[in-house]
Amino acid sequence: MARSKSDQAFDERIAKNSEELHELLTELYGEQADEAFRNLTELMKSSHAARPADLKRLDTKRLADPEWYKRGNMFGMTMYTDLFAGNLKELAKKLPYLKEQKLTYLHLMPLLQMPHPHNDGGYAVEDFDTVDPTLGTNKDLENLTRELRKAGISLCLDFVMNHTASTHRWAMAAKAGDPWFQAYYHLYEDRTIPDQYEQTVPQVFPNTAPGNFTWCEEMHKWVLTTFHDYQWDLNYANPAVFVDMTKSILHLANLGVEVFRIDAVPYIWKQLGTTCRNLPQVHTIVRMLRMVLECVCPAVILKGEVVMAPKELAAYFGTPEKPECHMLYN
């Protein structure tokens, strides 16, 4: 069976990026890079095969107009789904109002499955693949993105890079003693290494969430929790974490999300003796994510949340030859 033009273009993008992707994986993961590269390549192929036809058409359109998001008529609005409309179905009914505002970009605050009531406004995520039941279903999200697309409105969602909720299935498996998922987090049996980290790592919320570690009674281990005690930092030194998180972002892209505001991205790589902020490995990961998206769903763009000093900001654009984020949010 002959490959479609879209599939042929995808094959060309994969071929163009494979060498650099493998080099960056090797840089991060050494001997584990070959397996990670195979897993990532298979993920990209399956995600592209599953991508709906109308989104593939959008990919083609955006490839011909890569500066689309920089237009002077771009007008964005940010809102909480529940406060504006109650849920995603009801929000879709407000489309005439949004069109009346000449909206081209809608950023919905976190709406993926979260614990209740403590969820840091949705930034503690229990399931990166599923809409929170209080707001609707994945089908509701897919229907909304389709209607927004028809109206010329791009949907932006937050994608929390640094951590999961302590009630995420990976964390629950880790608590139950599963060594595979314990390796998804930073866990320590005593305070030796945590105390070394505390010497150089600033605290994000010193008054409301002091310290960077939380004791987990179920595991009898200390867990790295940069933000709140119910937000467990992911261990990106484990290539399975990068592959699984990339899988979720591609799943959401195939539901029609066009912009990802990658949350808390400067924090995602941890290294003793540093502030664990803005490390070179962070840029390697963002660069790899950019390449994966450009291969699978080139209509999609990355907006980096870099709440750092202005001098730290520009680096997250990458370089003209090796771009990272399309836009930055400070």
Side-chain angles (χ1 to χ4, degrees):
M1 183 177 164
R3 304 271 287 163
S4 69
K5 282 187 179 179
S6 171
D7 291 338
Q8 288 172 15
F10 168 70
D11 292 342
E12 289 167 9
R13 294 194 297 269
I14 286 270
K16 178 187 170 188
N17 287 283
S18 282
E19 185 178 348
E20 186 189 346
L21 197 52
H22 192 274
E23 284 175 2
L24 293 177
L25 286 166
T26 303
E27 189 182 299
L28 281 186
Y29 300 123
E31 292 177 357
Q32 296 174 285
D34 286 349
E35 183 183 0
F37 180 73
R38 283 194 299 273
N39 291 340
L40 201 56
T41 302
E42 284 306 310
L43 170 62
M44 288 193 286
K45 288 177 179 175
S46 62
S47 297
H48 187 263
R51 192 155 170 80
D54 62 330
L55 291 175
K56 286 182 177 177
R57 287 193 294 273
L58 184 65
D59 291 334
T60 302
K61 180 183 174 186
R62 295 272 168 82
L63 281 167
D65 182 24
E67 305 277 287
W68 66 272
Y69 60 94
K70 297 180 181 179
R71 294 277 176 265
N73 65 345
M74 289 294 286
F75 175 56
M77 190 180 282
T78 304
M79 62 179 64
Y80 284 94
T81 300
D82 54 341
L83 297 180
F84 180 71
N87 57 47
L88 293 173
K89 271 184 180 168
E90 292 301 313
L91 195 150
K93 295 176 184 176
K94 308 272 190 187
L95 201 55
Y97 169 76
L98 299 179
K99 286 170 70 175
E100 194 179 295
Q101 309 310 308
K102 303 198 183 316
L103 203 67
T104 63
Y105 173 104
L106 176 63
H107 176 188
L108 293 179
M109 295 296 278
L111 51 71
L112 298 178
Q113 188 171 315
M114 62 191 85
H116 295 277
H118 301 297
N119 54 50
D120 189 25
Y123 290 97
V125 181
E126 261 182 357
D127 186 344
F128 290 101
D129 298 318
T130 307
V131 171
D132 193 86
T134 63
L135 299 173
T137 65
N138 283 19
K139 181 54 74 176
D140 294 336
L141 177 61
E142 193 172 26
N143 291 339
L144 175 66
T145 63
R146 188 183 303 111
E147 293 307 309
L148 288 171
R149 217 160 37 249
K150 288 177 189 172
I153 301 172
S154 298
L155 182 70
C156 171
L157 285 190
D158 293 89
F159 191 78
V160 181
M161 293 282 290
N162 182 67
H163 46 262
T164 73
S166 59
T167 46
H168 189 286
R169 63 182 176 83
W170 301 340
M172 299 302 280
K175 289 178 192 176
D178 186 330
W180 174 263
F181 287 108
Q182 288 190 351
Y184 275 47
Y185 300 97
H186 300 267
L187 309 177
Y188 304 96
E189 293 185 356
D190 60 40
R191 284 291 309 190
T192 306
I193 292 177
D195 285 347
Q196 290 176 39
Y197 271 112
E198 295 287 18
Q199 290 173 25
T200 58
V201 179
Q203 297 181 38
V204 176
F205 303 126
N207 297 322
T208 55
N212 287 291
F213 291 85
T214 299
W215 175 252
C216 176
E217 189 61 37
E218 292 98 323
M219 290 186 297
H220 286 272
K221 293 180 192 288
W222 291 94
V223 185
L224 180 57
T225 54
T226 298
F227 291 87
H228 294 100
D229 59 6
Y230 52 83
Q231 291 165 306
W232 288 16
D233 287 46
L234 286 162
N235 178 15
Y236 280 90
N238 177 354
V241 169
F242 175 70
V243 173
D244 271 350
M245 292 294 278
T246 302
K247 183 178 181 180
S248 290
I249 210 167
L250 290 174
H251 169 72
L252 292 167
N254 279 357
L255 291 178
V257 179
E258 295 180 35
V259 184
F260 288 98
R261 174 192 174 276
I262 45 177
D263 178 73
V265 72
Y267 300 83
I268 60 178
W269 193 270
K270 310 302 192 289
Q271 189 174 308
L272 269 177
T274 73
T275 61
C276 296
R277 311 280 198 271
N278 304 307
L279 296 178
Q281 295 90 338
V282 172
H283 294 282
T284 302
I285 289 169
V286 177
R287 172 66 186 144
M288 291 196 300
L289 186 56
R290 168 79 179 248
M291 281 193 291
V292 168
L293 294 176
E294 285 187 345
C295 285
V296 178
C297 45
V300 172
I301 65 170
L302 288 175
K303 179 164 78 165
E305 185 226 14
V306 185
V307 185
M308 296 284 156
K311 68 180 193 294
E312 306 280 5
L313 197 67
Y316 286 87
F317 282 122
T319 66
E321 299 76 28
K322 297 183 178 182
E324 295 174 26
C325 293
H326 297 76
M327 297 191 289
L328 293 174
Y329 173 99
N330 179 285

